[in-house]
Each structure stands twice: as C-alpha cells, then as structure tokens.
C-alpha cells in the first residue's frame, strides 16, 4: 500500500514523458518525489518555491490531464515545497491551481500561503545569512554624484531607497537615460549607501548581461533552481542595463519570478535602462508593467552649471588645477554626456603631462576638436546643406539645377557625402533633400568624394574645413 503513490507517480511520469521534451522532463519532472496518495490527492515534493511556480505556470495543463488520466476524474494534485535542501528542510503545502481561483499563482498574495509556514527559507531563524560580493565600485558614491535639475529625482529617489530599502513606494526604482549620464554610477552609489547604513543587508549589483550569462550556464547545467534561489536571497538587487534582456525570453521568465518573489517579500529592486519601459522592444508586457510599479526617473544631460560643478569636483578630487577659462570652455562646449566630459578632461591632462605643456585654452580647443571628431554627431541634412553651400558660395536652390557645372556638381556631391557621414538620414532622403536625386546618385557621389579625398590634398583641406564647421 505504501508504494501506491510511487506507482501512481511513475504512471504519471510515463504520460508526461510522452508529452514533453527530454530536457524539460529531466529538469522539471525527474527531481519530483511522490510523497503520498490519499483520497485521490497525490502529493508531490518539489525542490523549491520557484520550481513549484514554474510547474504551475508552464505545465499545469499537462499535469491536470495526467492526474485525471491516471487517478481518475476526482484526482487532485498537491505540492510539498522543500524550502531548504540542507538537513533543516521545511516543507509547506501548496495546492495545485485546481484548488484556487487564480490560474496564475504568481500574483497570489502572501495570505494564501499557510501563515504558519516560513515563506523564505533564508529568514528561518538560525540559518546563516548569505555572504556574497556585492560587486560595488567604491568610487561611485553619492558624494561624487553631483546633483542638478537633470538628475534630482533619480538621485533623491536613490537616497531614499538606500535609507529604507524595500520600504518606500520606490520599488522598483527604475532609472533610465541615454549613455554616459550616470545610471551605473547611481546604481553603485545606492548599493554602497545601503551597505553603509544597513551592513546586514545582502546587496548585489549585477549587469543584465552577466545575469543572462549566469542564466544560460545554470540552464545548461540543470542548475536553474540554485540560480533562482541565489537571487531570491538578495535584499537589494540592482540590475544595470535591463534592455539587454530584450528577446531573451527564458531569462526574462526567470527574472519575472525573481522580481515577483523579491517584491512580494519587500526586497528592493533597482533597475536601469537606456529607454523608457514603454519603448523597450521585445520584452514581455507583464515584466514591463512591473517596471513602472515604483518610481521611474530619468537622467538628463546636465545643464551648464551642473557641468561646471561636475568638472570642478573631478578636478578637485584628482588634484588638477585648470584655469577658469579652460574649465568654462570645456563645460560650455561638451554637450553630449558626462562620460564625454570626463574623457576630454582626462585626455587634456594626459597630453599636457606627456608633452610637458601647460593646459591653455588652445590645447583645450584642440583636444575637444579631436575628441568630437571621433564620434558621429547627429546633425540634420538641411543643416549640412546650408554649411556646404555657404562654403562653396552656391545658393541652396541651385542644388536642384540640372547642370554639369563643376561648382554645382561638386557642392552637391560634398553635401551628400557629409550628410551620409554626419546625419542619420537614409540615402534616399539625403538624395531627395540634395536636389531631388535618387539614392544611387548619393551612393555614387559618396564614392567619388572619398576617392578624390585619397588623391587630392587641397580637396581634403577643404573638406576638413567644412567638417569643422559642421561639428561647430
Ligand atoms: P551610464 O551608466 O548612464 O552610461 P555612467 O554611470 O557610466 O553612465 O557615467 C559615466 C561617467 O560620468 C561616470 O564616470 C560617472 O562617474 C560620471 N557621471 C555621470 N553623472 C555624474 C554626476 N552627476 N556627477 C559626477 N559624475 C557623473
Ligand atoms: Mg552604464
């Protein structure tokens, strides 16, 4: 009699095996242990909460059909969830969603879990806290993160979260901006501040790419349980550059479970993204909707005064002395992002020390010039046409003339070449704006100009001048 549950479960496994892939079977069904069979209720033991949620989410239909087939129309399933795999294992009983009204047990509030059962195995008294390397960069502190209108909400939100992780309405805290505006810096600052104020908290900073790699490895090694368990033990989880999860459906799935678990247990989540959640493509809707549950804060390009303050702070902390004139020039002319501002500063200081020069305004200008040329600035085709026509002294309207006059042809070709290089417009659109030509003409023009650049020094000098004007 004692083995009836084992026999029944083995029959179930037979049915399941025929209806799943070998890999899924090995990962999700082989580790299950049958516990008992009483009054048509089969109780199975699963290794973790995550495991249970996954089965209910992914395999509930298969499980239901199997139970009905093997046990009969009144057959039911109950889970015994193993909360810790060490000796001190604790089990809690979980009904299959057959018993509860919500089909998706993931959204289930705590109260549906028997109240006497510990929800998180890691908060069972007497069990050791997890010791992990939080992966925080000590240099990225709040003190070093200069506040301005551009970042006030995010910075203050971050400070609040660090003071009371998981206890404010800012959960998750989602910080978004384009590159180089301080997302990563702020992440580390929050993590460091939590560690300072609450040394007992388990904090982890992780880049989304790292998270994905860990998921892939865990999945390959059939170790997903440990992976998810590990993340479920974190008090403050900081995930940087979440946009990399796009298209990674399985990783998103695992993150979804981790997110829910942490959020339900009042753990803090901090997420960064290079876009607003609404603009993130190829991400599951239910995940995106969770991202905006808390505070969504944007980091913008600092205004001139904040740029000055950032520069002065960097100079001060690095013991560099620069004239006000040079500092003003840098702050005024670098308008892309803070990383660029730092880059120019470092390059300027390096050049001055290598060449034993003093940092003059001229040297600053040259450095910025060189730096700016190394990335493509976004400018409109119209703007470029105006500069090129002005340079060759040809009225813009003449670009559409059907003439073989060298000056007109050259102006048009150079405008097309520069537009291709410095704008984001398509060849067709460039052609249309440069005298209503087609994309093949633009293509030909670009080739002609670059061929000539290789052989004609004077022409190259002219184009260098034009480029300087375009880059302002
Ligand atoms: P992101 O992650 O948004 O691409 P980072 O956090 O890597 O940007 O920031 C780029 C650089 O700019 C870092 O060195 C960072 O310290 C600096 N930075 C950004 N914003 C500020 C700020 N408000 N004050 C001081 N440094 C800043
Ligand atoms: Mg970053």
């Amino acid at each position: 009699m004692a083995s009836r549950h084992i026999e029944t479960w083995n029959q179930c496994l037979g049915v399941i095996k025929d209806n799943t892939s070998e890999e899924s079977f090995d990962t999700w069904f082989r580790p299950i242990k049958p516990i008992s069979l009483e009054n048509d209720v089969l109780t199975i033991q699963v290794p973790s909460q995550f495991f249970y949620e996954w089965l209910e989410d992914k395999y509930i239909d298969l499980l239901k059909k199997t139970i009905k087939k093997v046990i009969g129309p009144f057959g039911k399933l109950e889970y015994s969830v193993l909360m810790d795999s060490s000796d001190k294992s604790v089990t809690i009983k979980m009904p299959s969603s057959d018993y509860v009204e919500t089909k998706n047990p993931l959204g289930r509030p705590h109260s549906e879990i028997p109240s006497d059962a510990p929800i998180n195995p890691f908060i069972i008294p007497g069990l050791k806290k997890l010791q992990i390397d939080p992966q925080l960069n000590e240099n990225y502190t709040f003190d070093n993160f200069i506040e301005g209108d551009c970042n006030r909400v995010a910075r203050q939100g971050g400070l609040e979260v660090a003071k009371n992780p998981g206890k404010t309405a800012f959960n998750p805290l989602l910080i978004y901006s384009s590159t180089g505006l301080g997302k990563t810096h702020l992440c580390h600052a929050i993590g460091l501040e939590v560690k300072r104020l609450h040394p007992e908290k388990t904090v982890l900073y992780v880049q989304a790419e790292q998270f994905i790699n860990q998921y892939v490895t865990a999945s390959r090694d059939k170790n997903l349980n440990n992976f998810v368990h590990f993340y479920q033990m974190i008090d403050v989880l900081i995930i940087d550059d979440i946009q990399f999860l796009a298209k990674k459906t399985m990783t998103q799935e695992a993150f979804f479970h981790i997110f829910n678990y942490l959020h339900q247990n009042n753990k803090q989540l901090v997420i960064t993204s290079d876009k607003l959640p609404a603009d993130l493509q190829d991400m599951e809707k239910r995940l995106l909707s969770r991202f905006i549950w808390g505070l969504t804060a944007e980091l913008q390009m600092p205004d001139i005064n904040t740029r000055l303050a950032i520069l002065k702070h960097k100079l001060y902390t690095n013991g560099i002395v620069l004239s006000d004139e040079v500092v003003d020039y840098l702050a005024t002319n670098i308008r892309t992002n803070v990383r660029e501002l730092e880059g120019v500063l470092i390059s300027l200081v390096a050049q001055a020390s290598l060449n034993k020069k003093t940092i003059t305004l001229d040297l600053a200008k040259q450095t910025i010039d060189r730096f700016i040329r190394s990335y493509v600035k976004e400018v409109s085709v119209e703007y470029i046409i105006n500069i090129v026509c002005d340079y060759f002294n040809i009225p813009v309207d003449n670009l559409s003339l059907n003439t073989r006059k060298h000056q007109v042809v050259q102006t048009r070709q150079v405008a097309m070449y520069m537009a291709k290089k410095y704008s984001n417009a398509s060849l067709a659109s460039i052609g249309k704006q440069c005298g209503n030509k087609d994309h093949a003409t633009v293509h030909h023009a670009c080739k002609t100009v670059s061929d000539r650049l290789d052989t004609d020094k004077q022409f190259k000098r002219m184009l260098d001048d034009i480029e300087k004007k375009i880059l302002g």
Side-chain angles (χ1 to χ4, degrees):
M1 210 50 190
S3 64
R4 205 164 67 89
H5 59 279
I6 299 176
E7 204 175 290
T8 305
W9 179 241
N10 281 340
Q11 281 174 24
C12 290
L13 282 180
V15 177
I16 293 166
K17 199 166 188 173
D18 289 342
N19 289 284
T20 48
S21 69
E22 202 180 315
E23 199 182 322
S24 302
F25 184 81
D26 285 348
T27 312
W28 299 110
F29 296 97
R30 226 182 256 294
I32 296 175
K33 281 191 201 146
I35 301 284
S36 64
L37 177 64
E38 277 163 36
N39 304 325
D40 284 350
V41 179
L42 177 67
T43 305
I44 55 173
Q45 187 183 65
V46 293
S48 72
Q49 167 91 11
F50 172 69
F51 209 101
Y52 154 73
E53 289 175 356
W54 192 280
L55 285 175
E56 282 281 285
D57 202 31
K58 299 276 172 256
Y59 296 107
I60 188 61
D61 289 339
L62 174 62
L63 281 167
K64 267 188 199 166
K65 277 188 202 138
T66 306
I67 293 293
K68 302 272 182 254
K69 191 166 175 184
V70 175
I71 304 178
F74 301 108
K76 291 222 186 298
L77 188 65
E78 201 166 77
Y79 300 86
S80 163
V81 181
L82 198 59
M83 297 308 275
D84 183 64
S85 49
S86 72
D87 300 346
K88 294 188 182 170
S89 67
V90 179
T91 60
I92 58 170
K93 287 208 164 179
M94 292 286 192
S96 155
S97 55
D98 241 11
Y99 289 152
V100 286
E101 280 196 351
T102 45
K103 185 156 192 308
N104 178 3
L106 305 178
R108 180 196 57 229
H110 278 160
S111 54
E112 287 178 26
I113 297 173
S115 58
D116 55 339
I119 293 153
N120 181 342
F122 304 101
I123 53 170
I124 296 171
L127 282 191
K128 270 223 295 240
K129 275 286 300 182
L130 181 70
Q131 292 286 334
I132 57 162
D133 171 9
Q135 306 200 108
L136 294 169
N137 180 339
E138 304 281 336
N139 298 318
Y140 286 155
T141 59
F142 273 111
D143 284 349
N144 288 338
F145 193 79
I146 306 299
E147 185 169 305
D149 289 345
C150 54
N151 62 31
R152 186 160 292 116
V153 176
R155 190 176 184 280
Q156 291 297 332
L159 271 169
E160 283 307 308
V161 158
K163 271 186 219 150
N164 291 306
K167 297 211 179 76
T168 68
F170 307 158
N171 202 12
L173 171 63
L174 181 99
I175 304 163
Y176 75 98
S177 78
S178 55
T179 185
L181 292 178
K183 295 182 293 294
T184 299
H185 187 141
L186 205 48
C187 280
H188 287 279
I190 295 169
L192 290 169
E193 189 67 1
V194 174
K195 276 307 227 185
R196 196 177 70 82
L197 298 171
H198 313 273
E200 78 289 355
K201 298 257 183 225
T202 308
V203 178
L204 180 68
Y205 166 88
V206 63
Q207 284 166 350
E209 279 171 309
Q210 204 184 348
F211 182 84
I212 295 164
N213 291 339
Q214 288 170 354
Y215 174 85
V216 171
T217 310
S219 171
R220 188 196 58 209
D221 300 345
K222 303 205 172 13
N223 213 0
L224 275 181
N225 259 308
N226 286 345
F227 168 79
V228 175
H229 249 134
F230 171 76
Y231 276 96
Q232 288 181 338
M233 289 187 294
I234 311 290
D235 296 319
V236 179
L237 177 61
I238 307 168
I239 301 218
D240 203 1
D241 289 320
I242 200 83
Q243 71 274 4
F244 288 120
L245 247 62
K247 294 201 174 114
K248 306 274 189 280
T249 324
M250 296 303 277
T251 317
Q252 281 180 39
E253 184 78 41
F255 182 60
F256 179 74
H257 285 80
I258 292 167
F259 183 104
N260 281 335
Y261 185 91
L262 294 179
H263 198 271
Q264 283 174 8
N265 287 284
N266 297 324
K267 308 296 182 180
Q268 181 69 45
L269 290 127
V270 178
I271 301 170
T272 77
S273 161
D274 70 350
K275 293 182 196 68
L276 260 177
D279 297 331
L280 280 170
Q281 308 250 305
D282 302 307
M283 287 275 227
E284 269 202 69
K285 288 265 176 319
R286 56 182 188 162
L287 202 51
L288 292 182
S289 72
R290 274 161 174 76
F291 288 170
I292 52 171
W293 272 356
L295 174 67
T296 303
E298 185 181 5
L299 296 175
Q300 288 166 338
M301 178 56 186
D303 57 26
I304 175 77
N305 287 331
T306 314
R307 295 206 292 273
L308 272 173
I310 292 175
L311 266 180
K312 287 186 177 155
H313 181 81
K314 302 251 176 235
L315 292 171
Y316 177 78
T317 48
N318 290 293
I320 305 166
V321 181
L322 280 190
S323 70
D324 284 353
E325 189 185 34
V326 172
V327 177
D328 279 354
Y329 187 81
L330 295 179
T332 312
N333 287 284
I334 303 166
R335 279 163 272 160
T336 41
N337 62 53
V338 185
R339 185 175 296 129
E340 196 95 11
L341 195 63
E342 280 185 345
V344 173
L345 183 65
I346 292 166
S347 151
L348 189 59
V349 172
Q351 278 189 64
S353 65
L354 284 175
N355 304 327
K356 302 205 169 26
K357 288 189 198 165
T358 41
I359 302 179
T360 57
L361 191 56
D362 257 357
L363 185 61
K365 282 183 181 164
Q366 283 168 29
T367 312
I368 291 190
D369 197 37
R370 232 193 319 272
F371 223 88
I372 287 179
R373 275 190 222 197
S374 63
Y375 72 93
V376 180
K377 208 172 130 180
E378 267 181 55
V379 278
S380 72
V381 178
E382 193 191 353
Y383 174 75
I384 292 170
I385 292 175
N386 283 330
I387 286 181
V388 176
C389 286
D390 188 54
Y391 186 86
F392 290 115
N393 211 2
I394 298 276
V396 172
D397 287 348
N398 284 11
L399 286 190
S400 50
L401 291 180
N402 216 350
T403 168
R404 285 173 186 266
K405 262 197 189 151
H406 174 70
Q407 272 301 70
V408 175
V409 174
Q410 172 172 285
T411 308
R412 188 162 54 222
Q413 288 184 334
V414 171
M416 288 172 168
Y417 171 88
M418 292 293 174
K420 177 162 181 262
K421 188 163 175 189
Y422 290 108
S423 80
N424 279 335
S426 66
L427 292 189
S429 154
I430 294 172
K432 201 157 189 300
Q433 295 179 72
C434 295
N436 217 2
K437 305 291 175 191
D438 62 11
H439 81 278
T441 311
V442 181
H443 189 72
H444 174 73
C446 293
K447 185 156 184 336
T448 309
V449 171
S450 66
D451 286 351
R452 194 168 156 201
L453 272 176
D454 291 340
T455 52
D456 184 339
K457 282 213 174 103
Q458 203 200 336
F459 183 67
K460 183 166 185 327
R461 265 197 298 278
M462 285 197 304
L463 263 61
D464 282 350
D465 283 347
I466 294 173
E467 278 186 335
K468 271 192 200 139
K469 288 188 196 300
I470 291 172
L471 296 170

